[in-house]
Amino acid sequence: MARILTPSDYGLVGMIAIFIAVSQSLIDSGFSQALIRKRDRSEIDNSTVFYFNIAVGITLYLVLFLSAPAIARFYNEPLLTSITRVIGLGLLFNSLGVVQRAIFTTTLNFKTQAKATLIGAVISGIVGISMAYSGYGVWAIVAQQMANIVLVNIFLWVFSKWRPILKFSKDSFTSLFSFGSKLMISGLIDTLYKNMYLIVIGKFFRAQDLGYYTRAHQFSDFASSNFTGIFQRVSYPVLCTIQDNDRRLADVYRRLLKVSSFIIFPLMAGLAACATPLIDTVLTSKWIFAAKILQILCLAQMWYPVHAINLNLLQVKGRSDLFLKLEIIKKLIGVAVLCATLPFGLIAVCWGVLINSLLSLIINTHYTGRLINLGFLAQIKDLFPTLALSLCTGIAVWLSLSFIALPSFAKLIIGVIEGIVLYAGTAYLLRFSEFKELTDIMHRR
């Protein structure tokens, strides 16, 4: 779709991303995490969350519907009124599937979730590409996103045996909300901060620049956040079962951190090294400026698994109050960094993302050290061999591609093969414990 459409088309959709993301954060309200963590959850708990999510979804859509003209005036883009009102419908469908996802996650049934997601992605992709080829422009993106949301939630219902009962419990709501509300506020702050860049770039730069940023961010986010999300969804319910055994919790947490970083660090370093041939091959040369942004964002997103798993531990220990405190501190620092880099242009803003990621790393690991005696220095010591190998591999690939005069597609293939051979071969020769653990897991499978 990006080969057919323009950066400005993606910039238009990116302008309303924050409003959709904030609304979705409020719909979840931290209830899914509260349900997963609660050991004695009941059908009344599930149904209470279900009806609450529907009420919030309807309310938020009405607010978004009425606010659409104001959003269009803010960006001086009249078309945003219609786009906002259509994409906002996704909130109603997403509110229907929160409990199903929580139940699947609790039972570690990720295969069913993957099946629903895959079906939705394939069919919605076909819809989006067909409309893009037919000349629908930005509406092809809108249709693709809406089709994906609707289909995924439909199949979650089809594959799930759970159905709500006609009961809403005030006591259940209060119990779940006492834990989930702090996660809701934390998630809301995090969502506002992450999407604040879209507002700022959309307001102070061109729609084309926002298109470059959103495409680069989606590439880096796919490689980092999605893989980390898999680790989180698998580990969270497991860690919750040993939340009272600090020694075992620390051991499992440490292994999880090392294995996830062993996979994601080289992915991000390799993505940064191959950014230019990747963008040129997949999106064509009209998107080539996004490669510069992608390289910087990859260095920032490299640390995402460390952030996420540290925060996951706070949830496991029931310290949603500390979770909220950390989010407030980090986001205040992030806003300051954004304000300082904004006058120097879009590339400087991206470097600010990296600076804030490193500062957040120190903050996130502070309470982990206090809770299970595994703080910043201990974690860096564990991760340093993987980090050093990943960066050295990425630099080697980038340098070799810089001196090769071949088409971008050929460079991309060479870079991927070279990176895999260098990284895996060195890890094997140096007997990395993470390498052995991953191979053992694959053999067991």
Side-chain angles (χ1 to χ4, degrees):
M1 289 175 63
R3 295 174 68 90
I4 304 167
L5 304 175
T6 66
S8 296
D9 290 329
Y10 281 91
L12 282 173
V13 176
M15 288 176 179
I16 63 170
I18 184 170
F19 304 102
I20 303 299
V22 167
S23 299
Q24 186 57 48
S25 179
L26 290 172
I27 286 175
D28 181 71
S29 304
F31 272 44
S32 60
Q33 299 298 325
L35 277 178
I36 295 170
R37 186 177 183 275
K38 190 174 183 181
R39 295 178 177 177
D40 58 344
R41 73 189 69 84
S42 65
E43 284 300 307
I44 294 179
D45 292 329
N46 292 333
S47 297
T48 298
V49 172
F50 176 77
Y51 292 122
F52 173 75
N53 283 336
I54 291 178
V56 173
I58 293 172
T59 302
L60 289 173
Y61 177 69
L62 291 175
V63 171
L64 200 60
F65 184 93
L66 296 174
S67 303
I71 294 172
R73 287 194 298 270
F74 176 78
Y75 288 111
N76 196 27
E77 294 283 356
L79 188 58
L80 284 180
T81 299
S82 301
I83 294 175
T84 302
R85 288 173 171 172
V86 174
I87 290 184
L89 289 169
L91 299 174
L92 301 178
F93 288 94
N94 274 334
S95 66
L96 297 173
V98 171
V99 175
Q100 278 81 358
R101 287 187 183 276
I103 292 173
F104 283 135
T105 300
T106 302
T107 57
L108 301 181
N109 186 353
F110 301 104
K111 182 178 179 180
T112 299
Q113 294 185 65
K115 191 188 302 182
T117 302
L118 179 61
I119 295 172
V122 171
I123 297 177
S124 65
I126 294 172
V127 171
I129 292 172
S130 300
M131 292 186 65
Y133 268 112
S134 300
Y136 283 92
V138 67
W139 288 105
I141 305 174
V142 174
Q144 185 272 327
Q145 291 188 8
M146 283 301 303
N148 184 61
I149 292 171
V150 172
L151 288 169
V152 168
N153 283 284
I154 286 176
F155 281 104
L156 284 175
W157 272 79
V158 170
F159 297 145
S160 173
K161 296 180 180 179
W162 180 83
R163 295 294 182 267
I165 58 177
L166 293 176
K167 286 188 178 181
F168 183 94
S169 169
K170 183 179 178 181
D171 292 337
S172 176
F173 176 84
T174 302
S175 173
L176 292 168
F177 193 72
S178 64
F179 176 81
S181 60
K182 299 181 184 67
L183 295 183
M184 176 194 71
I185 298 173
S186 301
L188 186 60
I189 292 173
D190 185 57
T191 300
L192 283 168
Y193 173 75
K194 286 181 178 178
N195 290 275
M196 176 178 62
Y197 282 84
L198 303 182
I199 286 185
V200 172
I201 295 171
K203 184 65 177 177
F204 293 98
F205 299 97
R206 302 170 300 171
Q208 184 178 15
D209 292 324
L210 181 57
Y212 291 137
Y213 180 85
T214 55
R215 286 282 85 189
H217 185 269
Q218 285 174 350
F219 270 109
S220 64
D221 196 56
F222 176 82
S224 179
S225 298
N226 286 331
F227 277 97
T228 302
I230 293 171
F231 283 108
Q232 280 186 293
R233 288 192 295 272
V234 172
S235 63
Y236 183 68
V238 174
L239 292 174
C240 284
T241 62
I242 57 172
Q243 58 187 275
D244 298 323
N245 188 337
D246 287 348
R247 179 174 295 181
R248 189 179 175 198
L249 185 63
D251 179 62
V252 173
Y253 166 81
R254 188 177 176 186
R255 290 172 57 195
L256 177 65
L257 192 62
K258 292 172 70 175
V259 170
S260 62
S261 298
F262 185 77
I263 296 173
I264 295 174
F265 278 9
L267 273 177
M268 302 311 295
L271 187 56
C274 299
T276 300
L278 174 66
I279 294 295
D280 192 32
T281 300
V282 178
L283 304 182
T284 71
S285 58
K286 67 183 177 183
W287 289 90
I288 205 65
F289 183 72
K292 297 180 180 179
I293 300 174
L294 177 58
Q295 289 174 327
I296 303 171
L297 294 183
C298 282
L299 297 177
Q301 288 286 87
M302 178 181 290
W303 296 101
Y304 185 80
V306 186
H307 297 310
I309 296 173
N310 271 275
L311 294 176
N312 216 15
L313 181 68
L314 295 180
Q315 297 181 46
V316 169
K317 297 295 289 184
R319 297 306 304 270
S320 55
D321 56 331
L322 294 181
F323 193 107
L324 175 58
K325 180 180 178 180
L326 292 183
E327 287 303 303
I328 294 174
I329 294 172
K330 289 183 299 182
K331 272 39 182 184
L332 289 175
I333 295 174
V335 171
V337 172
L338 175 59
C339 292
T341 56
L342 184 60
F344 299 98
L346 181 56
I347 295 298
V349 169
C350 294
W351 281 112
V353 175
L354 172 58
I355 293 170
N356 186 58
S357 179
L358 296 175
L359 293 174
S360 297
L361 178 66
I362 299 173
I363 296 171
N364 282 337
T365 54
H366 173 70
Y367 282 107
T368 308
R370 292 178 55 179
L371 290 173
I372 59 171
N373 196 29
L374 194 64
F376 174 76
L377 293 178
Q379 292 187 41
I380 292 299
K381 182 179 179 181
D382 278 346
L383 301 179
F384 182 77
T386 297
L387 175 64
L389 177 57
S390 299
L391 293 178
C392 288
T393 301
I395 292 171
V397 171
W398 178 76
L399 286 174
S400 65
L401 295 182
S402 299
F403 293 101
I404 296 176
L406 290 173
S408 293
F409 179 70
K411 282 187 174 183
L412 182 60
I413 294 176
I414 292 172
V416 171
I417 295 174
E418 180 185 359
I420 292 174
V421 171
L422 280 176
Y423 184 79
T426 306
Y428 173 76
L429 291 174
L430 296 180
R431 300 182 182 278
F432 275 53
S433 60
E434 298 90 342
F435 183 84
K436 185 179 185 304
E437 186 160 357
L438 281 175
T439 55
D440 288 344
I441 292 173
M442 288 187 288
H443 288 151
R444 289 198 298 269
R445 300 295 286 178

